Amino acid sequence: MKKNTLDALAESISNSEKIRKIIINNILREESKEIRLNLVYITYYFSSRCVLIEYYAEDNEYPDVEMKFDDLIDFVKK
């Protein structure tokens, strides 16, 4: 079911190179602890180099997903 949450992230960034750059640049610059997109929230944990991706509404079909920064970068660049 984590696929549902990742699909929501993919949909949120699908048509915007600008949003993709913001997500990646935030890892490099450590500017924002959280970025809110239309379907998901991305919380950055800079000390552990990972993010928590949460669906905008609590839903068992969309569980939270933890991901390392490198994995997020790879996902966003797809």
Side-chain angles (χ1 to χ4, degrees), residues 9 23 27 51 67-76:
L9 172 59
I23 291 169
I27 291 171
V51 294
M67 186 179 284
K68 293 287 184 189
F69 282 176
D70 290 340
D71 295 331
L72 178 63
I73 290 169
D74 291 343
F75 185 86
V76 169

Side-chain angles (χ1 to χ4, degrees), residues 25-37:
N25 286 339
N26 194 58
I27 291 171
L28 304 173
R29 296 183 183 144
E30 297 186 14
E31 291 177 343
S32 300
K33 183 180 176 182
E34 183 177 76
I35 294 178
R36 291 178 177 241
L37 303 174

Side-chain angles (χ1 to χ4, degrees), residues 1-13 40 53 55 62-63 65-67 72 75 78:
M1 286 200 280
K2 289 183 179 185
K3 182 183 179 317
N4 292 346
T5 305
L6 295 177
D7 286 346
L9 172 59
E11 185 177 333
S12 294
I13 65 174
V40 296
I53 303 166
Y55 193 62
Y62 293 82
V65 175
E66 274 192 43
M67 186 179 284
L72 178 63
F75 185 86
K78 283 189 202 176

